[in-house]
């Protein structure tokens, strides 16, 4: 059996193991569900009032545009945050294999350690993509109901931004969970990431609402640009519709600055292309780190086996 066939078999096995546990799938969807509940129960009117505050006095605008841009802001938050938080839940199989000692069976089987590690990465990327694009489909249905102003080109850019965020989340989860050997530790890390990531990336509350020192710090984190990329593509069509409806450029810029479409670091605006460069550059760095970890672990396993056989 070739390594590719072994990889395919392991990816299929990991994916089936994930979907076999219905509670695990529900846990993965918990972050999107919480964000949706928060939006509809508490935050929707706050966001609508914030958008209205950017308009000139006595200026009226179609409610479909207002409801749509508020929904687009929510969708960008859910997609970008879930791409990281869900990754830690979707990769539970890696931890379970250590707990159940299944990983030891793989190590003595005629399969390379790199193939095992790659199988976790590929299955996590695949599962995470299913979850994120399911959320995107639900979000698109909602926007189509309340007000759809997303062009075809913007939609494909949203998909591209999703893939970039999924890659970032998958690599981050694979690296961190590679050192986790208990279910309790994995649950603690997943809970911590779910609680903190939305805030430190500006997904729950706009970065512009924080103090200057915190804004500078958050501007140095790659996750911030994953969220900002999603903001740009999800809200671009609505901002164009606002401009066509007569909203002055000052109001448009106020929305961009207030809702993190524009991100500033040390007073300088970060272009959209630079946002992609920062996130993908971080992904390249994380990939190198993950490969280095796999190589070192492979050498460690070979050394232990050689030492054991020499006795």
């Amino acid at each position: 059996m070739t390594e590719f066939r072994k990889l395919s078999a392991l990816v299929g096995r990991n994916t089936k193991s994930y979907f076999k546990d219905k509670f695990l799938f529900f846990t993965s969807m918990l972050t999107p569900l919480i964000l949706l509940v928060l939006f509809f129960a508490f935050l929707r009117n706050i966001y609508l009032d914030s958008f209205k505050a950017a308009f000139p006095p006595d200026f009226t605008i179609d409610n479909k545009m207002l409801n749509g841009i508020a929904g687009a802001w929510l969708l960008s938050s859910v997609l970008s945050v879930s791409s990281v938080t869900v990754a830690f839940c979707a990769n539970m199989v890696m931890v379970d294999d250590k707990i159940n000692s299944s990983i030891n069976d793989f190590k003595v089987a005629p399969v390379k350690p790199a193939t095992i590690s790659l199988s976790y990465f590929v299955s996590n990327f695949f599962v995470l993509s299913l979850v994120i694009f399911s959320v995107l489909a639900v979000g698109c249905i909602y926007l189509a109901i309340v007000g759809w102003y997303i062009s075809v080109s913007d939609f494909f850019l949203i998909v591209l931004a999703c893939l970039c965020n999924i890659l970032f989340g998958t690599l981050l989860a694979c690296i961190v969970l590679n050192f986790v050997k208990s279910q309790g530790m994995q649950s603690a890390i997943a809970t911590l990431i779910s609680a903190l990531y939305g805030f430190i990336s500006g997904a729950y509350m706009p970065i512009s609402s924080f103090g200057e020192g915190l804004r500078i710090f958050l501007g140095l984190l790659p996750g911030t640009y994953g969220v900002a990329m999603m903001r740009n593509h999800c809200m671009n069509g609505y901002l164009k519709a606002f401009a066509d409806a007569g909203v002055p450029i000052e109001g448009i810029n106020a929305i961009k600055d207030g809702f993190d479409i524009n991100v500033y670091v040390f007073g300088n605006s970060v272009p959209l292309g630079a946002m992609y460069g920062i996130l993908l550059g971080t992904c390249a760095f994380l990939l190198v780190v993950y490969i280095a970890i796999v190589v070192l672990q492979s050498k460690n396993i070979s050394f232990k086996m050689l030492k054991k056989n020499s006795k």
Side-chain angles (χ1 to χ4, degrees), residues 51 53-56 59 61 65 69 235-262 264:
F51 285 119
F55 303 150
F59 185 87
I61 196 153
M65 292 184 189
I69 196 170
M235 300 174 68
N236 184 54
Y238 295 90
L239 293 177
K240 289 181 178 178
F242 281 178
D244 293 340
V247 177
I249 188 64
E250 293 81 7
I252 301 294
N253 289 334
I255 292 175
K256 288 183 177 181
D257 291 342
F259 287 89
D260 296 341
I261 297 175
N262 291 336
Y264 295 90

Side-chain angles (χ1 to χ4, degrees), residues 69-246:
I69 196 170
W73 195 89
L74 168 72
L75 181 60
S76 65
S77 298
V78 174
L79 291 173
S80 51
V81 171
S82 300
S83 296
V84 175
T85 57
V86 174
F88 283 82
C89 296
N91 212 9
M92 177 75 84
V93 178
M94 175 187 283
V95 180
D96 285 342
D97 284 346
K98 297 175 187 176
I99 297 172
N100 302 327
S101 299
S102 299
I103 191 67
N104 295 329
D105 297 333
F106 294 144
K107 289 177 180 178
V108 298
V111 56
K112 297 179 180 178
T115 303
I116 300 172
S117 298
L118 183 59
S119 71
Y120 290 126
F121 170 82
V122 174
S123 61
N124 193 14
F125 186 90
F126 176 72
V127 169
L128 184 56
S129 296
L130 285 179
V131 174
I132 296 303
F133 287 119
S134 296
V135 173
L136 175 60
V138 173
C140 287
I141 292 172
Y142 172 77
L143 292 180
I145 295 172
V146 300
W148 180 272
Y149 290 89
I150 298 177
S151 66
V152 174
S153 59
D154 282 332
F155 179 78
F156 282 109
L157 288 173
I158 291 172
V159 173
L160 176 62
C162 283
L163 291 173
C164 292
N165 278 278
I166 290 170
L167 179 61
F168 173 69
T170 301
L171 286 167
L172 192 62
C174 285
I175 290 173
V176 174
L177 295 182
N178 196 73
F179 300 99
V180 175
K181 298 181 180 180
S182 69
Q183 199 169 55
M185 187 180 294
Q186 192 275 342
S187 298
I189 291 175
T191 302
L192 183 64
I193 294 295
S194 298
L196 290 180
Y197 185 76
F199 289 102
I200 65 175
S201 64
Y204 295 160
M205 294 295 293
I207 295 176
S208 59
S209 63
F210 298 148
E212 183 178 356
L214 189 55
R215 289 201 303 269
I216 293 174
F217 172 73
L218 297 182
L220 300 176
L221 301 179
T224 299
Y225 300 100
V227 177
M229 287 159 46
M230 203 71 71
R231 296 258 197 269
N232 273 271
H233 302 319
C234 287
M235 300 174 68
N236 184 54
Y238 295 90
L239 293 177
K240 289 181 178 178
F242 281 178
D244 293 340

